[in-house]
Amino acid sequence: SIKMDLLHSNGVLIIQHLQRDYRAYQDFLNFMSHVGDPRNIFSIYFPLWFQLNQVVGTKMIWVAVIGDWFNLIFKWILFGHRPYWWVQETMIYPNQSSPCLQQFPITCETGPGSPSGHAMGSSCVWYVMVTAALSYTVRWKDKSAVTLHRLTWSFLWSIFWIIQISVCISRVFIATHFPHQVIIGVFAGILVAEAFEHTPAIQTASLRMYIKTNLFLFIFALGFYLVLKLLDIDLLWSVPKAKKWCANPDWINIDTTPFAGLVRNLGALFGLGLGINSEMFITSCKGKNSCKLNFRILCIAASLTTLQLYNLIKIPTHTEYLFYILSFCKSAAVPLTVVALVPYCVHSLMRTTEKKLN
């Protein structure tokens, strides 16, 4: 406990240093925190990659969902505090002179702090994207191509680490995480992504397998929560702390609670399974149009536009259980739209146009 308090106090010093010396970069660091938001995986990265390479897009959803599920379990096991409330409650500072940490609208996360979900999600998805991009160049055999591959390898991994470091610094800057929490998150995300590099079975998974996986993830998480609750261990201990010490009550969002993330991810995985195993996907993405560049570009543009419209749909938060149900449905609609609905509509439109031209 003493060692952890010292680790936390050193982390607070780093946060104070960042907030004092990097105030000019506040907008950039806040932006990088948004870049690391796991929700961007479903609304931006996945629509792009799935239309370019269905194998990579499918892997991206699996990595994001399983990685975030592990993140939830680790948070419940590690009981990590967040800086913005820890400084208010710790007795390590003399005369109750706790440091003053600036808060922002995205500071008041309600779940435990270790490991960082943003850092873990960001490293997961960017690891998948970098390894996927490099897989195209690793097959080059001639000497000039090998040199180009090495340059590409260095460039992409440099980009990867620049983004991860920026996301980590941004999460520490806004006093949402201690430095050790974001470091753990980055390497945990890489481990999860690397594990799926050797799991080809997800590419041929049936809808039944998707449902079984969803049920397992949900039952395990819920069972883990209920068992510890019977032992008088409250896994939602962080929520009242967040509500108590957040500088602005309007910054508290139910979307950041542990179960909200679980429901959102289960919905996304179910929607992917439903989409990939649908007739619309087979008709549109397995036909001759799937090889055409204009088909893929239209699918990307239509998917991104539709998902931005989805973001305008605000789920009511006054009833917690209703919020979880609607959140599941909305999350399931995202991959279902990208995988099946949009490609089928584009396919039908192109077929109709070709018939008119003929």
Side-chain angles (χ1 to χ4, degrees):
S1 178
I2 295 175
K3 289 182 178 179
M4 186 58 67
D5 282 342
L6 290 174
L7 186 63
H8 285 163
S9 63
N10 289 332
V12 168
L13 290 176
I14 294 173
I15 295 170
Q16 286 182 301
H17 174 75
L18 287 172
Q19 291 188 343
R20 182 177 64 250
D21 295 346
Y22 292 88
R23 199 172 301 277
Y25 303 103
Q26 177 178 323
D27 291 339
F28 170 74
L29 292 173
N30 283 332
F31 169 75
M32 289 309 301
S33 186
H34 284 294
V35 168
D37 193 331
R39 284 168 289 195
N40 289 332
I41 298 171
F42 307 109
S43 62
I44 298 175
Y45 304 135
F46 170 67
L48 287 170
W49 272 96
F50 188 83
Q51 306 303 345
L52 297 174
N53 188 315
Q54 293 170 8
V55 172
V56 178
T58 301
K59 185 193 300 181
M60 188 176 292
I61 291 290
W62 277 89
V63 166
V65 170
I66 301 300
D68 208 47
W69 183 83
F70 273 116
N71 182 264
L72 172 64
I73 301 300
F74 288 151
K75 283 180 184 294
W76 280 348
I77 292 173
L78 298 177
F79 285 84
H81 290 273
R82 293 187 186 271
Y84 76 92
W85 76 57
W86 181 82
V87 294
Q88 304 291 341
E89 298 186 343
T90 182
M91 302 300 294
I92 197 172
Y93 299 105
N95 301 324
Q96 303 296 320
S97 57
S98 59
C100 180
L101 299 182
Q102 185 179 357
Q103 295 185 24
F104 303 88
I106 56 175
T107 295
C108 299
E109 299 270 354
T110 57
S114 186
S116 167
H118 280 65
M120 192 168 175
S122 177
S123 63
C124 269
V125 68
W126 280 94
Y127 189 92
V128 170
M129 289 193 290
V130 169
T131 53
L134 290 175
S135 67
Y136 289 103
T137 62
V138 75
R139 304 186 189 98
W140 298 342
K141 299 298 182 183
D142 57 278
K143 191 173 181 180
S144 60
V146 170
T147 303
L148 181 60
H149 168 70
R150 289 174 179 172
L151 290 173
T152 305
W153 187 94
S154 300
F155 174 74
L156 289 179
W157 283 117
S158 296
I159 294 295
F160 172 85
W161 285 111
I162 288 172
I163 290 174
Q164 303 320 310
I165 291 171
S166 298
V167 169
C168 289
I169 291 176
S170 71
R171 299 302 288 172
V172 174
F173 171 80
I174 63 175
T176 297
H177 289 290
F178 292 102
H180 69 279
Q181 294 173 344
V182 292
I183 293 171
I184 294 172
V186 168
F187 288 102
I190 291 174
L191 288 174
V192 172
E194 178 60 28
F196 276 89
E197 291 292 320
H198 311 285
T199 314
I202 60 174
Q203 302 298 334
T204 56
S206 63
L207 179 59
R208 187 175 181 179
M209 180 58 67
Y210 276 91
I211 294 174
K212 284 182 176 179
T213 304
N214 256 19
L215 288 174
F216 171 79
L217 296 177
F218 178 73
I219 292 172
F220 186 96
L222 182 61
F224 187 70
Y225 170 79
L226 293 176
V227 167
L228 291 186
K229 190 173 183 178
L230 289 174
L231 298 174
D232 283 334
I233 300 175
D234 183 15
L235 294 181
L236 300 181
W237 60 273
S238 60
V239 178
K241 289 182 180 292
K243 291 180 178 178
K244 181 179 180 180
W245 297 114
C246 184
N248 187 337
D250 293 336
W251 294 348
I252 296 290
N253 193 337
I254 190 175
D255 199 31
T256 65
T257 59
F259 278 111
L262 175 65
V263 169
R264 185 170 57 246
N265 287 311
L266 294 181
L269 189 62
F270 176 73
L272 177 66
L274 200 61
I276 283 182
N277 291 280
S278 68
E279 286 297 326
M280 287 189 291
F281 171 75
I282 295 171
T283 301
S284 56
C285 295
K286 296 296 184 181
K288 61 179 182 179
N289 276 337
S290 62
C291 300
K292 297 179 180 178
L293 181 60
N294 59 343
F295 172 79
R296 296 186 179 187
I297 292 174
L298 284 172
C299 286
I300 290 173
S303 296
L304 291 174
T305 303
T306 305
L307 295 187
Q308 294 308 309
L309 295 176
Y310 281 1
N311 290 334
L312 299 177
I313 301 174
K314 301 302 179 182
I315 300 176
T317 58
H318 57 275
T319 305
E320 192 170 359
Y321 292 110
L322 177 62
F323 171 83
Y324 290 146
I325 293 172
L326 294 178
S327 180
F328 179 90
C329 295
K330 182 180 178 181
S331 299
V334 170
L336 183 61
T337 299
V338 173
V339 171
L341 295 177
V342 165
Y344 184 77
C345 291
V346 172
H347 167 77
S348 300
L349 180 63
M350 292 180 67
R351 187 174 58 181
T352 303
T353 304
E354 287 175 359
K355 287 182 179 178
K356 288 182 178 179
L357 292 175
N358 292 332

